Amino acid sequence: MQGSNDTFAAVDGALHCEGVSLATIAETVGTPVYVYSTAMFRQQARTFRDGLKDAGRVHLAFAIKANPNLAVLRVLAQEGYGADVVSGGEMQRALAAGIAPADIVFSGVGKTRRELTAALDAGIGQFNLELEEEGEVLAAIAHARGQRAPATLRINPDVDAGTHAKISTGRRENKFGVPIDQAVEMYGRLAELDGLSMRGVAIHIGSQLFDLAPLEGAYERVGELVAELRRFGHFISRIDLGGGLGVHYKAGDVPPSAAEYGDMVARVTQDWDVELMFEPGRVLTANAGVLLTEVIWVKPGAVNPYVIVDAAMNDLARPALYDAWHDFVAVHPSGNRMTANIAGPVCESGDTFAMGRDIDLVSSGDLAVFRSAGAYGATMASTYNSRALVPEVLVDGDRYAVVADRIQPETILAAERVPDWLKA
Ligand SMILES: *Cc1c(COP(=O)(O)O)cnc(C)c1O
């Protein structure tokens, strides 16, 4: 099961999202389409917060790269979440969703001068610095404007998070953060700068973490660093512990619960006397979304048949990018099963969602969903193969709304130009 109280369930043999039949959404909006459950977003947001109830002063910032849809941000803002942003575009979204600038944290290894300036204009709450030069540049821009930028220094604790290489961020050889053994001196230099107000340190060691031990090890290193920084007389008021908590994608997956995570955090940080910041992404949204698709063909294959669906790697990149697993479930399951490969129409062998999978028996014209698609799904979509940009629908009880339009190929074509010299 995908959540403690699954909001995607069959009603009279037909898969629903809360009170809305997915067949109705397919009929009115078309496929492929992402469908999100407001109740599940709220449930996950509350569960994560409750898990941290013994962790003292806590600030929650949703890592909006996981699902930056404006309506989703509104729901999470209503649940008291600020935003962790990694680009100027994400900052614009957070502000447009009504998130207070003070509740916005700017992470990311390549913030440009233009983005730093825009974030100072907006008056965001915190910059997580990724290298010393970034701090110097930010300080200079802020000082010239008569501002002091609130900042933390992102540490690379050199731990192996035990997750997929493409979502590991806390190893020495990764591009993120500064080496922990250089942190004290660097922090000291940054704290001297007029345009900065250094508040503490930040870490984020990776995503889809199933083992709390590497996180605990990293947090302990942070604790030692904080003690050392304080010995040097630095004022430390905030520690940003990042995101990364794993979620259930397939049968047998047992990610740490929010309560287990929270207990670990409370134990490790009990003497820190700081405001703890968190940047959860996936854990809040992954299981609140599905990608609804229609079977185009069932094509005979050498070993197993290929179920060719109208969703593709451009709509949901995770299987192609990380060999990720998404459960595939028929909207009207007959009870019969088949063993099949599932693939999209894109002209790449990598456009394959599953091989040799035991699934509900489906045939041409049937509807099905890829589950657990609410994080790193629509946000990674592209228009590769000149396909439309996939739309998004938000369900709340018995109502639903299209919260992102399907952007048709002609709209994208209209933004392209043939220069004069090619027109003759
Ligand atoms: C991606 C990211 C997160 C969120 O990670 P999840 O695994 O989705 O929780 C948090 N902080 C930073 C800096 C990130 O880059």
Side-chain angles (χ1 to χ4, degrees), residues 187-200:
Y187 196 97
R189 292 192 293 271
L190 290 168
E192 298 279 295
L193 300 176
D194 276 339
L196 287 187
S197 167
M198 292 302 291
R199 304 278 171 83

Side-chain angles (χ1 to χ4, degrees), residues 231 305 353 374:
R231 276 198 294 279
F353 294 104

Side-chain angles (χ1 to χ4, degrees), residues 76-150:
L76 292 172
Q78 286 177 354
E79 293 296 326
Y81 282 73
D84 174 62
V85 305
V86 293
S87 71
E90 284 194 351
M91 185 184 77
Q92 284 174 17
R93 284 177 172 276
L95 294 169
I99 293 171
D103 291 331
I104 298 177
V105 178
F106 200 165
S107 299
V109 71
K111 306 179 201 77
T112 64
R113 286 160 176 76
R114 182 191 293 257
E115 287 174 324
L116 293 172
T117 304
L120 286 169
D121 278 338
I124 67 157
Q126 180 171 308
F127 295 82
N128 289 352
L129 303 175
E130 291 265 359
L131 70 164
E132 185 167 3
E133 195 179 351
E134 182 192 12
E136 292 163 0
V137 168
L138 176 61
I141 299 172
H143 186 61
R145 301 156 53 102
Q147 286 178 274
R148 260 180 185 273

Side-chain angles (χ1 to χ4, degrees), residues 61-66 84-86 107-108 128 130 154 167 169 176 203-204 206-209 240-246 278-285 375-376:
F62 172 49
I64 75 174
K65 74 176 192 279
D84 174 62
V85 305
V86 293
S107 299
N128 289 352
E130 291 265 359
R154 179 167 175 183
I167 47 177
T169 55
F176 298 100
I203 59 166
H204 171 72
S207 197
Q208 184 58 1
L209 308 182
D240 186 335
L241 295 178
L245 210 56
F278 296 87
E279 304 169 348
R282 187 188 311 270
V283 71
L284 301 185
T285 65
Y376 307 106

Side-chain angles (χ1 to χ4, degrees), residues 2-3 40-49 52 60-63 66 76 81 207-209 242-249 255-259 261 278-288 374-376:
Q2 261 72 3
M40 186 63 96
F41 286 132
R42 294 197 192 283
Q43 181 182 315
Q44 304 293 54
R46 289 170 194 178
T47 302
F48 189 81
R49 179 190 297 282
L52 292 165
L60 300 170
F62 172 49
L76 292 172
Y81 282 73
S207 197
Q208 184 58 1
L209 308 182
L245 210 56
V247 304
H248 172 113
Y249 282 103
S257 69
Y261 174 69
F278 296 87
E279 304 169 348
R282 187 188 311 270
V283 71
L284 301 185
T285 65
N287 281 307
Y376 307 106

